[in-house]
């Protein structure tokens, strides 16, 4: 999963781009629900939020490192295909 750092300027452009609805407005900044973030696997070749973030504050979450297979399994579960 990806994560949003405290560099986030709350511009709101990433939230509507997420195909999994994983991004939401948290208490101070936008946040990503790691259980819903597939790093866009299953939907797109590249993480859509990273593509649009103007301040580049959406890195990989080091606490939630996942393989492509794990991300695909999450995608299948989220979409009811598994
Ligand atoms: Fe959503 Fe994709 Fe960003 Fe994960 S990488 S939060 S699935 S847009
Ligand atoms: Fe924050 Fe980047 Fe999302 Fe804008 S695009 S709300 S700066 S994480």
């Amino acid at each position: 999963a990806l994560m949003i750092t405290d560099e986030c300027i709350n511009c709101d452009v990433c939230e509507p781009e997420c195909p999994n609805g994983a991004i939401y407005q948290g208490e101070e900044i936008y946040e990503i629900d790691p259980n819903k973030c597939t790093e866009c696997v299953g939907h797109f070749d590249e993480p859509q939020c990273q593509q649009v973030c103007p301040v580049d504050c959406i890195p990989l979450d080091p606490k939630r490192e996942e393989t492509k297979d794990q991300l695909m399994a999450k995608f299948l579960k989220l979409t009811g295909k598994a």
Side-chain angles (χ1 to χ4, degrees):
L2 304 192
M3 60 176 284
I4 294 173
T5 73
D6 60 9
E7 324 246 311
C8 172
I9 55 168
N10 290 311
C11 72
D12 186 45
V13 301
C14 58
E15 189 270 324
E17 297 299 326
C18 180
N20 295 319
I23 303 175
Y24 60 96
Q25 168 106 66
E27 258 175 55
E28 311 240 314
I29 53 172
Y30 277 74
E31 295 180 29
I32 291 175
D33 178 348
N35 296 318
K36 289 189 185 170
C37 174
T38 63
E39 297 173 23
C40 283
V41 167
H43 293 282
F44 299 101
D45 290 340
E46 301 286 337
Q48 298 300 290
C49 54
Q50 274 184 339
Q51 304 283 306
V52 297
C53 180
V55 294
D56 240 345
C57 70
I58 317 182
L60 270 175
D61 185 344
K63 293 197 226 86
R64 291 292 298 252
E65 275 186 39
E66 293 149 294
T67 65
K68 275 260 172 338
D69 284 349
Q70 287 173 317
L71 292 165
M72 183 53 83
K74 196 193 293 186
F75 162 76
L76 292 172
K77 202 167 151 224
L78 285 169
T79 51
K81 290 176 184 153

